[in-house]
Amino acid sequence: MNSRPFTLRDPVKPDDFAEIAAVRSAAEPDWPLSTEELSRRDANLDPAHYHTVIVAEKDGRIVGVGNVGHDDFAFEEWRYWGGVRVHPDARNQGIGSAIYDELLRRVGKRGARELRTASSDRSHSTAGRSFLEKRGWRVAWERFESELNTENVDLHAFDDLIQTVEAGRVRLVSLAELSSDPNRNRYLHELDWLLFQDVPLGFDLTRKTLEQWVKEELEDPNLRPALSFVAVDSSVNDPLTGPYVGYSTLGFNEGGGYYFIGMTGVRRSHRGRGMARALKVAAMRALHAAGGGLIRTFNDAPNRAMLQMNEGLGFQRTATIYRYELKLDGQP
């Protein structure tokens, strides 16, 4: 007989999505998740990779959720990424431990050797970090979150920067304006992969197919094409990336009411000209013209060049996000 005041079960899709999204938003208020976004992420899961979800139900209401699956950013058959979230009103009842144990059992049967998750130094994550550390998880990587509000930035201070960049035969063109380019998606897919080779992530990135990448990136309803810019050099005609030599994207978290920067990068051949900075300024100006708002960005600790650039633009550090890892079966 189950003496626990809650039960664990697999979710019913899509019926449970609204309650799952509510639990996740309550547990992680700095990154709220809508029902629509959760549904989109679920639909975009790569069927070639393993993924499983467990919910905890109490008194007819979902109060906890856990997920674990292959780390599709750094895929290895034995490596998994996941997380456990419990509604703040339902904590200290063994719900998180029960979900965690079941997730561990499931991936253990699959021969998992390494698990990864993320947590921040915000106050609402303190208990979660303690939960992980008591179970042997260790911090393996740090990523810094910074933010600025366009209302607090003198965008005219960057006039010379934009003029200098564009005087060098480079145009800063929005993704929206490039929608008529039949090669846009293919060029950006190749450019994204090329740029990520120089991002200090602490692991080797797994390349996604063009179809999967477009689905996750360019077709993401959170993406704001009119606020995302590509550096186009008409003198370049690379067989893979065409005239695209850099880009920066801006998305919007509707529940949180803030924008966030995705990839920002420039090809090695065009670095040292202020182009990455100009791409971000172009996005900031476009956002300001559209009414302004708060922008958040995330940079890995070793990426000092980008961190310094963001500080120069006016971004201020707000949080540290830790990547935790757990080695299983005696793995070093």
Side-chain angles (χ1 to χ4, degrees):
M1 177 180 294
N2 180 18
S3 60
R4 298 184 302 199
F6 59 89
T7 57
L8 300 184
R9 62 172 174 82
D10 292 337
V12 177
K13 302 178 182 181
D15 298 10
D16 288 336
F17 282 165
E19 287 193 56
I20 291 174
V23 168
R24 293 187 55 161
S25 296
E28 299 175 322
D30 51 319
W31 199 269
L33 182 67
S34 69
T35 303
E36 293 75 20
E37 174 66 8
L38 178 61
S39 179
R40 185 188 70 84
R41 292 185 188 180
D42 183 77
N44 285 349
L45 289 172
D46 189 337
H49 294 165
Y50 174 79
H51 189 267
T52 188
V53 181
I54 302 168
V55 298
E57 189 174 57
K58 180 180 179 182
D59 299 328
R61 182 172 69 96
I62 292 176
V63 293
V65 59
N67 68 285
V68 68
H70 278 131
D71 185 350
D72 62 352
F73 282 97
F75 176 77
E76 293 287 353
E77 184 64 39
W78 43 265
R79 178 183 292 139
Y80 297 82
W81 181 283
V84 176
R85 289 94 171 176
V86 178
H87 194 286
D89 295 340
R91 291 176 181 168
N92 300 315
Q93 300 177 35
I95 294 172
S97 296
I99 294 174
Y100 175 85
D101 291 344
E102 175 59 18
L103 291 175
L104 206 61
R105 185 190 69 80
R106 292 186 183 186
V107 295
K109 289 175 60 177
R110 297 180 54 84
R113 291 162 46 192
E114 181 180 285
L115 302 181
R116 291 175 172 177
T117 193
S119 186
S120 76
D121 62 356
R122 295 183 187 276
S123 59
H124 63 75
S125 297
T126 301
R129 295 200 311 275
S130 176
F131 179 95
L132 292 170
E133 291 166 5
K134 287 178 180 178
R135 288 162 175 78
W137 292 72
R138 295 293 179 263
V139 173
W141 197 256
E142 292 184 351
R143 170 172 287 181
F144 301 133
E145 174 188 312
S146 305
E147 66 180 36
L148 67 73
N149 195 307
T150 57
E151 294 181 359
N152 301 327
V153 181
D154 178 13
L155 295 174
H156 290 297
F158 304 106
D159 287 347
D160 289 345
L161 169 67
I162 299 295
Q163 291 172 7
T164 300
V165 168
E166 294 188 332
R169 296 180 301 184
V170 173
R171 294 182 300 124
L172 304 180
V173 188
S174 73
L175 282 179
E177 293 177 87
L178 290 170
S179 60
S180 60
D181 182 351
N183 294 309
R184 186 194 71 168
N185 294 0
R186 178 171 65 86
Y187 286 161
L188 286 174
H189 176 240
E190 295 288 352
L191 181 61
D192 183 78
W193 176 249
L194 183 66
L195 297 178
F196 257 117
Q197 305 313 302
D198 292 333
V199 178
L201 297 170
F203 56 77
D204 293 329
L205 192 70
T206 299
R207 187 171 192 181
K208 298 183 179 180
T209 65
L210 172 61
E211 179 183 12
Q212 186 71 19
W213 184 84
V214 169
K215 184 190 301 183
E216 294 182 11
E217 301 292 334
L218 299 184
E219 295 178 355
D220 182 353
N222 298 309
L223 179 69
R224 295 296 182 263
L227 307 179
S228 303
F229 286 81
V230 179
V232 181
D233 186 340
S234 58
S235 69
V236 174
N237 188 22
D238 188 277
L240 296 179
T241 59
Y244 296 4
V245 296
Y247 86 112
S248 181
T249 61
L250 204 62
F252 183 63
N253 185 300
E254 186 172 356
Y258 58 82
Y259 296 82
F260 56 91
I261 296 175
M263 161 57 79
T264 297
V266 175
R267 292 190 58 158
R268 293 181 183 179
S269 60
H270 285 67
R271 292 176 190 167
R273 309 181 194 182
M275 211 168 292
R277 199 165 178 237
L279 284 165
K280 291 193 175 188
V281 170
M284 292 161 59
R285 286 184 166 185
L287 176 57
H288 180 73
L294 183 71
I295 302 176
R296 289 182 176 176
T297 190
F298 306 85
N299 302 108
D300 299 280
N303 199 349
R304 296 179 181 177
M306 191 61 73
L307 287 166
Q308 291 176 353
M309 179 193 302
N310 287 334
E311 289 177 4
L313 290 172
F315 282 90
Q316 296 184 343
R317 187 83 55 82
T318 52
T320 299
I321 299 172
Y322 304 105
R323 186 173 78 225
Y324 278 86
E325 294 182 357
L326 177 69
K327 308 293 185 180
L328 301 174
D329 294 333
Q331 295 299 316

